[in-house]
Amino acid sequence: MTGSLVVIGTGPGRAELMTPATAAAIARATDLVGYGPYLARVPSQPGQCRHASDNRVELDRARHALSLAAAGRQVVVVSGGDPGVFAMAAAVFEAVEDGEPAWQDLDIRVEPGVTAMLAAAAEVGAPLGGDFCAISLSDNLKAWSTVERRLAAAAEADFVIALYNPASRARPHQLGRAFERLRVVKAAATPVLFVRAAGTPEVTVLATTLAEADPARADMRTLVIVGASRTRRIGRWVYTPRSER
Ligand code: SAH
């Protein structure tokens, strides 16, 4: 049988936020490959092989998945959220680019998923109603100077900014440095949202301002949204109007 590889995202964590197309791809799989905690979100099926791995070995995991597909298996690579947003889809194509020529002819598909930024925005209203961008604060795969340059440019352009990977035990100081960089350009009263476990029953929201934002409030399950100049609060909601009026 010809193998295949589908890269999926589980959504932010609640089963209803996984798309039906993603669930169908999982149901057809013979092999699931992914980071342990994301694999744990996928209900187990008899006869399915699970290949759990550590978070830091994305390329090895991608190569493993490709070699299973080349051997005729129906492989699903599991990410959280959307697989194309700071996740496994890009790692799969990087592995294809540098890997065996035959991998380029494999049946590879990417299924879209609900990314954290969308789930977090929905928890608080419509903060992404105007132009926005997403920046990962992780410097595992890029230099911190690149992160700072992009933060400065995004602030200058008055984007709403969604910050993925705002903190981890290995990198406790980066969010504080990011806020410092943004304070140079953005107003002190700019709304800042810490949304933890968005789209799950454990969700918590902290709405504050750029002047008062405490980096210690973020962890690895938190998405931080920094408003644009027009982002505002109405009662318990935060939104960015679409019009410039
Ligand atoms: N592919 C994922 C993102 C992976 S990067 C996606 O599309 O959502 C991991 C980062 O995503 C976390 O550090 C956190 O900033 C964010 N994140 C993932 N799930 C989240 C959730 N349920 N609530 C808030 N942030 C989340």
Side-chain angles (χ1 to χ4, degrees):
M1 192 170 172
T2 316
S4 66
L5 189 154
V6 189
V7 199
I8 63 111
T10 59
R14 190 171 86 229
E16 292 96 314
L17 292 181
M18 185 189 285
T19 69
T22 295
I26 292 168
R28 281 192 300 267
T30 58
D31 295 75
L32 300 178
V33 176
Y35 173 47
Y38 294 145
L39 275 186
R41 288 184 189 170
V42 177
S44 56
Q45 264 175 230
Q48 232 169 26
C49 301
R50 287 173 174 245
H51 311 268
S53 58
D54 185 78
N55 203 14
R56 294 190 172 247
V57 290
E58 286 194 348
L59 267 181
D60 289 347
R61 194 188 302 149
R63 283 189 209 104
H64 182 211
L66 285 158
S67 55
L68 287 168
R73 311 288 294 178
Q74 311 304 313
V75 183
V76 161
V77 176
V78 181
S79 292
D82 176 274
V85 179
F86 309 128
M88 282 303 295
V92 165
F93 292 111
E94 194 176 334
V96 169
E97 186 177 10
D98 298 338
E100 304 191 11
W103 287 355
Q104 296 193 14
D105 298 322
L106 282 172
D107 174 11
I108 301 174
R109 279 184 300 121
V110 181
E111 282 294 348
V114 177
T115 187
M117 171 176 77
L118 303 184
E123 298 284 2
V124 299
L128 305 181
D131 293 339
F132 62 87
C133 66
I135 299 177
S136 168
L137 290 194
S138 168
D139 62 355
N140 285 342
L141 301 168
K142 63 188 170 193
W144 178 254
S145 58
T146 303
V147 176
E148 288 210 337
R149 183 163 49 82
R150 289 184 183 155
L151 287 168
E156 202 60 60
D158 199 19
F159 283 117
V160 177
I161 306 172
L163 296 175
Y164 282 75
N165 294 307
S168 81
R169 255 160 283 142
R171 310 174 279 106
H173 306 299
Q174 294 183 341
L175 183 58
R177 285 165 69 184
F179 286 151
E180 286 305 314
R181 194 69 202 74
L182 296 175
R183 283 183 191 121
V184 175
V185 180
K186 285 182 179 275
T190 302
V192 173
L193 302 154
F194 291 74
V195 188
R196 183 171 195 281
T200 81
E202 301 100 62
V203 61
T204 59
V205 174
L206 171 72
T208 180
T209 63
L210 187 54
E212 285 171 3
D214 174 5
R217 302 300 293 264
D219 67 3
M220 284 166 73
R221 287 191 78 195
T222 305
L223 187 99
V224 177
I225 298 178
V226 182
S229 59
R230 306 187 61 73
T231 306
R232 59 194 80 176
R233 283 171 83 157
I234 38 159
R236 62 200 173 90
W237 302 109
V238 175
Y239 86 110
T240 307
R242 296 184 61 198
S243 74
E244 283 198 318
R245 275 186 296 118

